[in-house]
Amino acid sequence: MSHKYNNEDKVLIAVDCIIFGFDQEEEELKLLLIKRDFHPEKDKWSLMGGFMKIDEKIEEAATRILHTLTGLTQVYMEQLEVFSELDRDPVERTISVAYYALINIEDHDEELIKQYSASWFEISKVPKLIFDHDIMVDHAIKRLRYRTSVQPIGFELLPEKFTMRQLQKLYEEILNERLDKRNFTKKINALDILEKLDEKDKNSSRKGSYLYKFNQKKYRTKCENGFIFKV
Amino acid sequence: MSHKYNNEDKVLIAVDCIIFGFDQEEEELKLLLIKRDFHPEKDKWSLMGGFMKIDEKIEEAATRILHTLTGLTQVYMEQLEVFSELDRDPVERTISVAYYALINIEDHDEELIKQYSASWFEISKVPKLIFDHDIMVDHAIKRLRYRTSVQPIGFELLPEKFTMRQLQKLYEEILNERLDKRNFTKKINALDILEKLDEKDKNSSRKGSYLYKFNQKKYRTKCENGFIFKV
DNA sequence: AATAATAAGTGTATTTTTTACATTTGTAAA
DNA sequence: TTTACAAATGTAAAAAATACACTTATTATT
């Protein structure tokens, strides 16, 4: 802020969303991208985006834009950063605020996805994207890696009930490294923020594996007593 | 970005700077604040700010605004986040991108500081600030705490040559906790990115303490070989 | 009814990292 | 020469991270 301002310096604020999902079948971290049906860069792959309205907060714009494509509300989103290269959008001088979102891939609206010719891409197979979207994705992955290691947001990518194996695979995908099963279980159990259910998932083995739930309330209480999440 | 846009949704982009300095005499982390000589909120304390110009990147605006107050260029700055509450600025709908800067407190231009009625405040004694600037400061401190623990940016706040004691005091101020002298020295030496000079600083003791320099080149080389800074 | 196949579940020993802690040294002023 | 004062230094104990392999539960097959 300052006292001198100039209407000619006003610009459009875009919001671009890096939407992460965890494919349970293929045990892969994926990104939701749209195929542009408009110019410029028609038919190219891109992040889902839109413009902030004058009567909206930037978070609201991000939420709205995510909802437009996925039909979802109440989604975990985090602001990444502002991108403002002068020629980043060839049509109009805009700056873009990038957000990443973590969704449970099973919850999204298939119909909307079709409308936007959107589809899910494995992280390592993301195509070349328009504008500066490649950089946004790159930064989002780094931020996600950091954030999941210091806050229990990984659960946002899983169904409410999940197995230890699913959780481990998820972390392996995000961190892009293999983890030892015993050490992982030990670490997660030591955190003491999961609830082990009397229910088993039999999809992946005859023996079946126990299902767990993230206990948000317990986590909050522990935080109030100085607990710090760390994986 | 999207194909539909509306000129009425254009807004001014403010940049606000959280300027950190480390006072060598008092061994305290401080913030540079200005006293507004214009309305609204005249005579209140505030962060240094300004508006992004249409032909500038946001980083350029941040650099320019920092230079206006301090006379400095080539300063370490990091983008924090966007603040966009509808009524954050009562005069005009603006969104603000907050940046924090780390400067060597001895280098700044005293004259400019006077012009802006700016002065340095100990972190714990920062007065109530205008708009959402308190929140910005709060977030900046948290980010600084994290960033200094994973990147060697603390040196930006020190003179080129500094003692181990100064470095420790700096970290203590940033992290807001006391550290053990032997363990700290051991840790820093183990990083092997400092150069010990054949020169002593005799200001704080008769014996004098050795001066060190951050070896940027060595750090870069180590990074290329997979080194990860961690304090 | 026995067997085979498969992923789930579990514990310990070793290494590495972090923490706690006290004495000696060098210099200038008295 | 003595005093005063911060600088410099090492080791043992505790905690955390890592490496590693066998048993169990279940179902499908014979």
Side-chain angles (χ1 to χ4, degrees):
Chain A
M1 42 93 268
S2 152
H3 46 315
K4 293 169 284 180
Y5 61 85
N6 187 337
N7 274 325
E8 285 164 23
D9 291 330
K10 290 186 175 179
V11 294
L12 280 175
I13 312 293
V15 172
D16 288 302
C17 297
I18 298 101
I19 307 170
F20 289 102
F22 184 60
D23 186 321
Q24 306 298 331
E25 252 92 276
E26 307 187 32
E27 298 186 321
E28 278 165 0
L29 188 63
K30 295 192 165 175
L31 271 189
L32 185 56
L33 300 171
I34 64 168
K35 195 163 188 175
R36 288 164 70 98
D37 62 349
F38 49 90
H39 286 284
E41 304 276 9
K42 187 166 180 298
D43 292 332
K44 297 273 177 65
W45 291 101
S46 137
L47 294 171
M48 178 65 182
F51 292 109
M52 187 191 81
K53 300 194 165 127
I54 195 73
D55 58 355
E56 265 182 337
K57 294 193 277 189
I58 194 78
E59 305 87 288
E60 288 167 347
T63 311
R64 170 173 58 75
I65 290 162
L66 183 80
H67 179 260
T68 307
L69 178 60
T70 62
L72 300 174
T73 52
Q74 306 278 75
V75 173
Y76 178 89
M77 296 189 88
E78 183 185 346
Q79 191 189 106
L80 269 184
E81 65 187 291
V82 173
F83 291 82
S84 67
E85 292 287 326
L86 296 182
D87 54 0
R88 57 172 301 282
D89 182 331
V91 178
E92 174 80 18
R93 166 80 170 121
T94 62
I95 72 168
S96 172
V97 184
Y99 272 80
Y100 74 91
L102 306 182
I103 73 173
N104 178 353
I105 213 167
E106 289 161 4
D107 291 347
H108 75 275
D109 188 320
E110 298 283 358
E111 271 312 307
L112 285 169
I113 298 276
K114 269 181 209 152
Q115 272 179 44
Y116 284 89
S117 328
S119 63
W120 289 95
F121 287 82
E122 207 182 317
I123 295 292
S124 61
K125 291 173 184 157
V126 168
K128 173 81 187 67
L129 303 176
I130 62 158
F131 305 170
D132 44 11
H133 290 191
D134 298 303
I135 308 176
M136 292 180 181
V137 168
D138 190 59
H139 288 203
I141 293 170
K142 290 199 177 107
R143 181 74 70 88
L144 176 61
R145 228 164 250 170
Y146 165 64
R147 190 62 66 205
T148 47
S149 75
V150 298
Q151 272 177 245
I153 61 168
F155 308 115
E156 305 285 341
L157 289 161
L158 294 173
E160 198 194 352
K161 300 173 184 179
F162 52 86
T163 65
M164 221 19 119
R165 181 202 165 82
Q166 284 176 305
L167 188 62
Q168 182 179 339
K169 284 286 171 185
L170 172 65
Y171 273 94
E172 289 182 337
E173 279 291 298
I174 293 173
L175 303 174
N176 197 27
E177 61 178 342
R178 297 319 110 202
L179 303 172
D180 178 86
K181 185 167 54 158
R182 280 165 292 188
N183 294 338
F184 182 79
T185 310
K186 203 192 308 172
K187 203 172 214 171
I188 297 295
N189 283 331
L191 292 174
D192 187 31
I193 53 174
L194 292 192
E195 201 176 319
K196 187 175 185 172
L197 306 176
D198 272 337
E199 207 177 328
K200 283 187 163 186
D201 171 77
K202 295 225 170 171
N203 292 320
S204 63
S205 75
R206 307 204 211 285
K207 186 179 178 180
S209 57
Y210 282 103
L211 287 164
Y212 292 78
K213 253 183 175 171
F214 172 50
N215 189 333
Q216 182 93 48
K217 202 170 151 195
K218 189 167 195 178
Y219 170 67
R220 291 240 179 83
T221 311
K222 292 191 76 160
C223 282
E224 282 162 18
N225 298 313
F227 170 72
I228 290 173
F229 179 92
K230 187 84 196 63
V231 174
Chain B
M1 42 90 271
S2 151
H3 46 316
K4 292 170 285 181
Y5 58 85
N6 188 335
N7 274 325
E8 285 164 22
D9 290 330
K10 290 186 175 179
V11 294
L12 280 175
I13 312 294
V15 172
D16 288 301
C17 297
I18 298 102
I19 306 171
F20 288 103
F22 184 60
D23 185 321
Q24 306 297 330
E25 252 93 275
E26 307 188 32
E27 296 186 324
E28 277 164 0
L29 186 65
K30 295 191 167 176
L31 270 189
L32 185 57
L33 300 171
I34 63 169
K35 196 164 186 173
R36 287 165 71 97
D37 63 347
F38 49 90
H39 285 284
E41 304 277 7
K42 186 164 181 296
D43 292 332
K44 297 273 178 66
W45 291 101
S46 136
L47 294 171
M48 179 64 182
F51 291 109
M52 186 191 81
K53 298 190 165 131
I54 195 73
D55 58 354
E56 265 181 338
K57 294 193 277 190
I58 193 78
E59 305 87 286
E60 288 167 348
T63 311
R64 170 174 58 75
I65 290 160
L66 183 80
H67 178 259
T68 308
L69 178 61
T70 61
L72 300 173
T73 53
Q74 307 276 78
V75 173
Y76 178 89
M77 296 190 87
E78 183 185 346
Q79 191 188 108
L80 270 183
E81 64 186 291
V82 173
F83 291 82
S84 67
E85 291 286 324
L86 296 182
D87 53 359
R88 56 173 301 283
D89 181 332
V91 177
E92 175 79 21
R93 167 77 171 123
T94 62
I95 72 168
S96 171
V97 184
Y99 272 81
Y100 74 90
L102 306 182
I103 73 173
N104 178 355
I105 211 166
E106 290 161 2
D107 292 346
H108 74 276
D109 188 321
E110 296 283 358
E111 271 313 307
L112 285 169
I113 298 277
K114 269 182 208 150
Q115 273 179 44
Y116 284 87
S117 327
S119 63
W120 289 95
F121 287 83
E122 207 183 314
I123 296 290
S124 60
K125 290 172 184 157
V126 168
K128 173 80 186 70
L129 304 175
I130 63 158
F131 305 170
D132 44 12
H133 290 192
D134 298 303
I135 308 176
M136 293 180 179
V137 169
D138 190 58
H139 288 204
I141 293 170
K142 291 201 177 107
R143 181 75 69 90
L144 177 62
R145 226 165 252 170
Y146 165 64
R147 190 63 66 205
T148 48
S149 75
V150 298
Q151 272 178 247
I153 60 168
F155 308 116
E156 305 285 341
L157 289 160
L158 294 174
E160 198 194 352
K161 299 175 184 178
F162 51 85
T163 65
M164 213 34 110
R165 181 200 163 79
Q166 285 176 303
L167 187 62
Q168 182 180 340
K169 284 286 171 186
L170 172 65
Y171 273 94
E172 288 182 339
E173 279 291 299
I174 294 172
L175 303 174
N176 198 27
E177 61 178 342
R178 297 320 109 201
L179 303 172
D180 178 86
K181 185 166 54 159
R182 281 166 293 187
N183 293 339
F184 181 79
T185 310
K186 203 192 309 172
K187 203 172 215 171
I188 297 294
N189 284 331
L191 293 174
D192 187 30
I193 52 175
L194 292 191
E195 200 175 319
K196 186 176 185 172
L197 306 175
D198 271 338
E199 208 178 328
K200 284 187 163 187
D201 171 76
K202 296 227 169 171
N203 291 319
S204 63
S205 74
R206 307 203 211 287
K207 186 179 178 179
S209 58
Y210 281 103
L211 287 164
Y212 292 78
K213 254 183 176 172
F214 172 51
N215 190 332
Q216 183 92 48
K217 202 171 149 192
K218 189 167 195 177
Y219 170 67
R220 292 240 179 84
T221 311
K222 292 192 76 156
C223 282
E224 281 163 20
N225 297 313
F227 170 72
I228 290 173
F229 180 92
K230 187 84 195 62
V231 173

